[in-house]
Amino acid sequence: MKNFKLIILIASISFGCSQENISNKYAKSITSNELSELLYEFASDKFEGRETGEPGQKLAVNFIRDFYKSNDIKKADNTEDYFQELLIDIPGRMVTYPYSFPDSVRAFQINNKETKWVETENVAAIIEGSEFPEEYIVISAHLDHVGKRGEDIYNGADDDGSGSVALLELAQAFKLAKTEGNGPKRSIIFLHVTGEEKGLLGSEFYAMDPLYPLEKTIANLNVDMIGRTDPNRGYDNDRYIYLIGSDRLSSKLHETSEKVNTKTVDLQLDYTFNELDDPNNFYERSDHFNFAKNNIPVIFYFSGTHEDYHGIGDTPDKIRYDLLTERTKLIFYTAWEIANMDEKIEVDIN
Ligand SMILES: [Zn+2]
């Protein structure tokens, strides 16, 4: 009996090590060069600040779709060529289905000076799980930004170009793993939401009309602004990331997130903005909140605001690509663990 236990112990230790070695190999495919190349394009003037419904936002969704296509990563089910179409009113109070909205009403609304309805789209791709394909992890980032004011283009390199390109690199790493027979056991959805800057409307719509059942969505990792440093922290300790929400619904998610970090990139996990009485209330200010409201455990990855937040200075040259790479790797390892662990993440906190 004793020996038997020992064998199991040895077997599980070596399995643990080899799982780690395997994930290391794919994490290495996430590189500073690739992130920077993608971001210099995605946050270039050509995309005109990616304002919801505007031509620059259409270029952004095409850019994302083309990336998935060229990497042979499948479109999510129930999308039209990777796109989930929706309508958003500007300035952004409502979200609805394009097909439930008669053209006459839409035209009337557009003529109304106060309200303009725009067609816009979430973009979604999937890597299907090998063992539990009907359990889903959603990794999200918002693709839109605030557009332009006159001649000034707000590039939104950090907000949320950084999260958008992180998702692309994550998807590519998981795809490589799958191609080599090491794909995730659970399915991973890469969800680029629109209308965030108008009031989290793309993710609100996704929660209204999910591409995959919310009951089977076991976690949401949301990435919004992970490419800079928070000047309030001082620059001597920049290997950090703020985590928000990880301990609100699932102790296992929180525990897993911490363990994975210690074993891998070992960033300082800063919970300052996770405090329940934090006046910034970031927990309710990005897209993960639409998942959390539906009782889905979330982690929000965020490196803080800075002097260029929602300003014309949020440009790709100011991104810390070394930190963006490390933070993206942390998300990769965390997703890898959640996707491959024997027992799935469960809600156990009210
Ligand atoms: Zn943002």
Side-chain angles (χ1 to χ4, degrees):
M1 205 51 201
K2 244 183 186 170
N3 283 345
F4 184 58
K5 271 188 188 158
L6 189 66
I7 290 167
I8 292 179
L9 184 66
I10 291 169
S12 58
I13 289 171
S14 58
F15 180 72
C17 288
S18 68
Q19 269 292 318
E20 237 168 84
N21 288 340
I22 296 170
S23 61
N24 284 340
K25 179 181 175 190
Y26 302 112
K28 278 191 193 130
S29 75
I30 297 166
T31 67
S32 167
N33 277 347
E34 289 182 7
L35 285 162
S36 123
E37 203 176 301
L38 290 165
L39 190 52
Y40 267 92
E41 177 74 6
F42 192 69
S44 65
D45 284 354
K46 192 170 83 183
F47 291 75
E48 298 183 320
R50 307 185 300 277
E51 184 167 7
T52 299
E54 298 296 319
Q57 184 250 302
K58 305 295 170 189
L59 288 181
V61 295
N62 289 341
F63 177 81
I64 293 167
R65 179 191 56 196
D66 293 349
F67 180 91
Y68 286 116
K69 275 192 170 168
S70 66
N71 282 275
D72 201 20
I73 298 167
K74 278 183 58 179
K75 74 177 183 75
D77 290 349
N78 306 309
T79 59
E80 191 74 47
D81 199 21
Y82 298 83
F83 293 167
Q84 181 185 38
E85 299 284 344
L86 53 136
L87 278 181
I88 279 178
D89 82 327
I90 304 295
R93 291 167 302 226
M94 276 180 279
V95 58
T96 190
Y97 299 90
Y99 50 81
S100 70
F101 217 81
D103 279 348
S104 55
V105 175
R106 213 181 301 174
F108 169 77
Q109 295 282 14
I110 288 166
N111 290 332
N112 178 330
K113 281 193 183 116
E114 285 171 22
T115 308
K116 174 179 150 192
W117 287 89
V118 296
E119 287 190 15
T120 185
E121 42 284 295
N122 293 330
V123 189
I126 185 167
I127 293 191
E128 280 163 348
S130 54
E131 272 184 45
F132 313 105
E134 291 184 353
E135 292 175 8
Y136 305 99
I137 295 152
V138 174
I139 310 182
S140 55
H142 70 89
L143 62 91
D144 65 304
H145 191 56
V146 298
K148 48 184 186 171
R149 309 278 177 274
E151 295 297 294
D152 293 332
I153 296 172
Y154 291 65
N155 298 109
D158 193 26
D159 185 10
D160 185 23
S162 61
S164 303
V165 300
L167 255 63
L168 301 179
E169 281 288 284
L170 288 165
Q172 203 178 44
F174 277 106
K175 172 68 184 181
L176 183 62
K178 189 175 167 93
T179 306
E180 296 186 354
N182 294 313
K185 292 182 185 170
R186 299 187 173 81
S187 295
I188 304 181
I189 299 159
F190 300 90
L191 176 65
H192 300 257
V193 290
T194 185
E196 194 269 356
E197 305 286 7
K198 304 292 182 195
L200 317 185
L201 295 177
S203 55
E204 184 182 325
F205 184 80
Y206 184 90
M208 256 167 67
D209 190 17
L211 299 171
Y212 298 92
L214 293 183
E215 313 82 72
K216 299 213 167 153
T217 302
I218 62 165
N220 168 230
L221 307 181
N222 184 47
V223 195
D224 191 358
M225 299 174 66
I226 58 161
R228 301 251 317 231
T229 53
D230 180 349
N232 294 328
R233 287 178 52 91
Y235 286 92
D236 52 329
N237 178 17
D238 50 22
R239 297 191 64 252
Y240 76 95
I241 185 80
Y242 293 122
L243 294 192
I244 300 166
S246 60
D247 62 352
R248 305 265 180 128
L249 289 172
S250 167
S251 50
K252 194 161 175 189
L253 178 63
H254 183 65
E255 203 180 287
T256 305
S257 151
E258 296 223 312
K259 265 194 209 157
V260 165
N261 176 58
T262 310
K263 280 196 302 189
T264 60
V265 279
D266 203 20
L267 296 178
Q268 187 197 337
L269 304 183
D270 188 329
Y271 294 101
T272 305
F273 295 122
N274 190 47
E275 298 300 325
L276 290 172
D277 58 357
D278 182 72
N280 294 291
N281 198 17
F282 288 124
Y283 185 61
E284 298 187 6
R285 283 177 53 190
S286 187
D287 297 296
H288 55 277
F289 191 54
N290 284 314
F291 289 89
K293 278 200 278 195
N294 284 287
N295 216 33
I296 296 166
V298 305
I299 307 178
F300 173 26
Y301 295 87
F302 175 57
S303 52
T305 57
H306 42 74
E307 61 278 16
D308 294 314
Y309 174 67
H310 283 202
I312 52 167
D314 185 4
T315 48
D317 55 296
K318 294 193 187 142
I319 297 293
R320 283 282 306 270
Y321 291 96
D322 55 339
L323 297 176
L324 175 58
T325 307
E326 285 197 310
R327 291 161 179 165
T328 305
K329 284 183 182 179
L330 172 63
I331 300 162
F332 172 77
Y333 285 119
T334 307
W336 179 281
E337 186 63 26
I338 297 170
N340 287 310
M341 63 207 299
D342 293 335
E343 286 185 31
K344 68 173 161 50
I345 295 292
E346 301 273 10
V347 174
D348 63 354
I349 302 169
N350 293 313

PDB file of all heavy atoms in Angstrom, residues 142 159-160 196-197 224-225 286 310, ligand 1:
ATOM      1  N   HIS A 142     -11.086  44.379 -25.081  1.00  0.00           N
ATOM      2  CA  HIS A 142     -11.932  45.193 -25.965  1.00  0.00           C
ATOM      3  C   HIS A 142     -11.124  45.760 -27.120  1.00  0.00           C
ATOM      4  O   HIS A 142      -9.981  46.189 -26.963  1.00  0.00           O
ATOM      5  CB  HIS A 142     -12.715  46.267 -25.212  1.00  0.00           C
ATOM      6  CG  HIS A 142     -11.937  47.415 -24.651  1.00  0.00           C
ATOM      7  ND1 HIS A 142     -11.676  48.559 -25.363  1.00  0.00           N
ATOM      8  CD2 HIS A 142     -11.395  47.615 -23.423  1.00  0.00           C
ATOM      9  CE1 HIS A 142     -11.013  49.417 -24.602  1.00  0.00           C
ATOM     10  NE2 HIS A 142     -10.815  48.864 -23.424  1.00  0.00           N
ATOM     11  N   ASP A 159      -4.777  51.054 -24.136  1.00  0.00           N
ATOM     12  CA  ASP A 159      -6.224  50.885 -23.884  1.00  0.00           C
ATOM     13  C   ASP A 159      -6.981  50.686 -25.203  1.00  0.00           C
ATOM     14  O   ASP A 159      -7.373  51.654 -25.823  1.00  0.00           O
ATOM     15  CB  ASP A 159      -6.735  52.119 -23.142  1.00  0.00           C
ATOM     16  CG  ASP A 159      -8.180  51.991 -22.731  1.00  0.00           C
ATOM     17  OD1 ASP A 159      -8.756  50.899 -22.835  1.00  0.00           O
ATOM     18  OD2 ASP A 159      -8.737  53.013 -22.289  1.00  0.00           O
ATOM     19  N   ASP A 160      -7.280  49.532 -25.619  1.00  0.00           N
ATOM     20  CA  ASP A 160      -6.813  48.280 -25.089  1.00  0.00           C
ATOM     21  C   ASP A 160      -6.086  47.524 -26.203  1.00  0.00           C
ATOM     22  O   ASP A 160      -6.289  46.335 -26.396  1.00  0.00           O
ATOM     23  CB  ASP A 160      -7.997  47.480 -24.530  1.00  0.00           C
ATOM     24  CG  ASP A 160      -7.534  46.203 -23.844  1.00  0.00           C
ATOM     25  OD1 ASP A 160      -6.373  46.143 -23.431  1.00  0.00           O
ATOM     26  OD2 ASP A 160      -8.344  45.268 -23.750  1.00  0.00           O
ATOM     27  N   GLU A 196     -16.780  48.881 -25.604  1.00  0.00           N
ATOM     28  CA  GLU A 196     -16.405  48.956 -24.186  1.00  0.00           C
ATOM     29  C   GLU A 196     -16.415  50.400 -23.712  1.00  0.00           C
ATOM     30  O   GLU A 196     -16.955  50.731 -22.666  1.00  0.00           O
ATOM     31  CB  GLU A 196     -15.009  48.342 -23.965  1.00  0.00           C
ATOM     32  CG  GLU A 196     -14.679  48.071 -22.497  1.00  0.00           C
ATOM     33  CD  GLU A 196     -13.979  49.230 -21.782  1.00  0.00           C
ATOM     34  OE1 GLU A 196     -13.653  50.248 -22.420  1.00  0.00           O
ATOM     35  OE2 GLU A 196     -13.773  49.120 -20.566  1.00  0.00           O
ATOM     36  N   GLU A 197     -15.827  51.245 -24.547  1.00  0.00           N
ATOM     37  CA  GLU A 197     -15.709  52.665 -24.169  1.00  0.00           C
ATOM     38  C   GLU A 197     -17.076  53.357 -24.163  1.00  0.00           C
ATOM     39  O   GLU A 197     -17.214  54.453 -23.637  1.00  0.00           O
ATOM     40  CB  GLU A 197     -14.753  53.403 -25.124  1.00  0.00           C
ATOM     41  CG  GLU A 197     -13.355  52.779 -25.241  1.00  0.00           C
ATOM     42  CD  GLU A 197     -12.459  53.025 -24.029  1.00  0.00           C
ATOM     43  OE1 GLU A 197     -12.945  53.567 -23.018  1.00  0.00           O
ATOM     44  OE2 GLU A 197     -11.264  52.653 -24.107  1.00  0.00           O
ATOM     45  N   ASP A 224      -7.271  44.259 -19.968  1.00  0.00           N
ATOM     46  CA  ASP A 224      -7.533  45.633 -20.400  1.00  0.00           C
ATOM     47  C   ASP A 224      -6.444  46.544 -19.832  1.00  0.00           C
ATOM     48  O   ASP A 224      -6.459  46.868 -18.646  1.00  0.00           O
ATOM     49  CB  ASP A 224      -8.925  46.058 -19.910  1.00  0.00           C
ATOM     50  CG  ASP A 224      -9.386  47.375 -20.527  1.00  0.00           C
ATOM     51  OD1 ASP A 224      -8.619  47.984 -21.300  1.00  0.00           O
ATOM     52  OD2 ASP A 224     -10.513  47.798 -20.220  1.00  0.00           O
ATOM     53  N   MET A 225      -5.506  46.937 -20.709  1.00  0.00           N
ATOM     54  CA  MET A 225      -4.385  47.808 -20.340  1.00  0.00           C
ATOM     55  C   MET A 225      -3.349  47.053 -19.516  1.00  0.00           C
ATOM     56  O   MET A 225      -3.377  47.067 -18.291  1.00  0.00           O
ATOM     57  CB  MET A 225      -4.853  49.055 -19.569  1.00  0.00           C
ATOM     58  CG  MET A 225      -5.793  49.929 -20.360  1.00  0.00           C
ATOM     59  SD  MET A 225      -6.462  51.303 -19.389  1.00  0.00           S
ATOM     60  CE  MET A 225      -5.001  52.280 -19.086  1.00  0.00           C
ATOM     61  N   SER A 286     -14.677  47.139 -16.374  1.00  0.00           N
ATOM     62  CA  SER A 286     -14.300  46.572 -17.670  1.00  0.00           C
ATOM     63  C   SER A 286     -15.158  45.339 -17.932  1.00  0.00           C
ATOM     64  O   SER A 286     -16.027  44.981 -17.125  1.00  0.00           O
ATOM     65  CB  SER A 286     -12.796  46.290 -17.739  1.00  0.00           C
ATOM     66  OG  SER A 286     -12.445  45.890 -19.068  1.00  0.00           O
ATOM     67  N   HIS A 310      -6.725  57.601 -21.943  1.00  0.00           N
ATOM     68  CA  HIS A 310      -7.721  58.310 -22.772  1.00  0.00           C
ATOM     69  C   HIS A 310      -7.186  59.644 -23.299  1.00  0.00           C
ATOM     70  O   HIS A 310      -7.943  60.613 -23.430  1.00  0.00           O
ATOM     71  CB  HIS A 310      -9.046  58.510 -22.016  1.00  0.00           C
ATOM     72  CG  HIS A 310      -9.868  57.249 -21.971  1.00  0.00           C
ATOM     73  ND1 HIS A 310     -11.228  57.244 -21.772  1.00  0.00           N
ATOM     74  CD2 HIS A 310      -9.518  55.948 -22.117  1.00  0.00           C
ATOM     75  CE1 HIS A 310     -11.676  55.983 -21.788  1.00  0.00           C
ATOM     76  NE2 HIS A 310     -10.646  55.183 -21.994  1.00  0.00           N
TER      77      HIS A 310
HETATM   78 ZN    ZN B   1     -10.029  49.842 -21.737  1.00  0.00          ZN
END
